[in-house]
Amino acid sequence: DKREKYFPLENILGSEPRNEGQRRVTEEIKTDLLEWGRVARKEYAKPLIVEWGTEANNKTFHWNADNQARDKEAATALFRKAFRYIVHTVSGGQPENSNITWVFHVTAESDPDTSERSDRADWNKMADYYPDDRPGESEPDVVDWLGVSIYGVDNLDKGDCVPFASQLETALGRVDGRGSNEKLLALAHRGGKDKPIFILEFGTALNYTVKRPMAQCVPQTWIDDAFTNIFAKFDEGIISGFSWWNERYEGDDSDRRLELRFD
């Protein structure tokens, strides 16, 4: 159950105050955002890189529309509004003069992939969550950087994966993409900006051992493919940086712990 009780988007925005308790929570959240922003701007006062709404097009997190008890298009619109609200609140109403660089972070392949399901509208593309101006939403673009997560083996029981290169191409899309087909290359130029693109998370299980291994999922193969493509895209001026996900954790639906740590 991904239903968030304290931080649902409605509580952040105060858009549906059902009772005094909910109004109090909305005020508490606003107070915390204002104070965090004040400390960041006035006391820390050095450059900060901040993201909210991590992997918005992934159902892992409660802000994904698949976890909202509402019309999915309305849910993605609510996410966009919440993102802009947080940026403006933390930035003291002047994000253009803030010391904070705001990051919009998605996954390479949307989950759920609504485009492949005939019983659902196509609402879960990364552009559906991008928090800029839309008809009826007259707000400027508040995003400074774009980031994406790309993973290899994240379930040792299944032991399958998608090569890094194909996931990256899916995420980048075409620079001339339009509407909900806009992906990172197109979104990088929204709002009259030229936003850099980063591989914010990537990794694969280094303890990959299955009876019938998939050749492209062997750790060294997947990693070589990843770095080859990252550096090629860097030389082309498309990718600006990367971060390996250096962690050991329980994977989805697996009874074994994934080992992604290099150190």
Side-chain angles (χ1 to χ4, degrees):
D1 184 6
K2 300 298 193 305
R3 299 289 170 81
E4 170 62 40
K5 295 179 173 58
Y6 189 84
F7 285 108
L9 304 182
E10 292 87 354
N11 279 8
I12 294 173
L13 292 166
S15 56
E16 295 180 6
R18 293 186 295 272
N19 53 55
E20 184 58 34
Q22 188 178 31
R23 283 190 286 271
R24 184 173 63 252
V25 168
T26 296
E27 285 302 314
E28 289 173 355
I29 292 172
K30 181 178 181 179
T31 298
D32 287 344
L33 289 172
L34 287 169
E35 177 61 10
W36 193 92
R38 185 195 66 79
V39 172
R41 287 180 285 110
K42 303 296 184 181
E43 296 184 20
Y44 182 71
K46 293 181 281 293
L48 278 172
I49 303 167
V50 178
E51 70 172 70
W52 176 82
T54 302
E55 298 178 353
N57 59 329
N58 188 309
K59 64 184 179 183
T60 298
F61 299 99
H62 73 86
W63 41 65
N64 179 267
D66 201 47
N67 301 316
Q68 304 297 316
R70 59 172 59 245
D71 173 84
K72 302 309 179 189
E73 291 186 4
T76 57
L78 198 67
F79 175 90
R80 299 193 298 268
K81 186 175 181 180
F83 193 112
R84 296 194 301 265
Y85 171 80
I86 289 171
V87 170
H88 282 284
T89 303
V90 169
S91 304
Q94 295 182 313
E96 67 279 4
N97 298 323
S98 174
N99 61 318
I100 296 176
T101 294
W102 289 96
V103 185
F104 177 66
H105 182 176
V106 295
T107 56
E109 298 179 324
S110 295
D111 182 19
D113 183 359
T114 55
S115 64
E116 295 184 355
R117 297 182 60 175
S118 59
D119 61 326
R120 303 176 74 162
D122 187 6
W123 50 263
N124 197 43
K125 293 185 177 180
M126 59 180 69
D128 296 328
Y129 296 89
Y130 190 82
D132 67 348
D133 188 18
R134 306 287 173 88
E137 301 174 25
S138 54
E139 293 285 345
D141 191 335
V142 295
V143 175
D144 302 301
W145 286 7
L146 300 172
V148 63
S149 297
I150 300 177
Y151 283 97
V153 173
D154 61 1
N155 186 310
L156 294 173
D157 294 336
K158 295 179 181 178
D160 58 2
C161 75
V162 177
F164 182 94
S166 59
Q167 291 191 66
L168 180 59
E169 289 304 317
T170 295
L172 290 174
R174 294 168 54 92
V175 71
D176 59 351
R178 293 289 183 271
S180 64
N181 285 319
E182 286 181 279
K183 296 188 177 180
L184 293 177
L185 285 177
L187 294 174
H189 300 289
R190 288 266 283 262
K193 296 182 179 180
D194 187 13
K195 297 177 280 289
I197 300 170
F198 293 82
I199 312 298
L200 292 182
E201 299 180 23
F202 84 111
T204 192
L206 303 179
N207 57 332
Y208 176 69
T209 54
V210 296
K211 291 182 179 179
R212 296 181 180 178
M214 299 176 68
Q216 73 266 25
C217 299
V218 173
Q220 191 61 54
T221 301
W222 196 91
I223 293 166
D224 285 348
D225 173 59
F227 279 106
T228 296
N229 280 275
I230 287 173
F231 290 128
K233 296 300 183 184
F234 178 81
D235 289 341
E236 295 174 30
I238 293 174
I239 296 297
S240 296
F242 65 87
S243 175
W244 178 271
W245 192 263
N246 198 60
E247 186 180 4
R248 181 173 184 257
Y249 66 99
E250 293 181 3
D252 295 339
D253 305 320
S254 177
D255 59 3
R256 290 181 290 167
R257 295 180 71 82
L258 291 166
E259 179 64 80
L260 274 71
R261 298 176 301 181
F262 269 125
D263 56 344

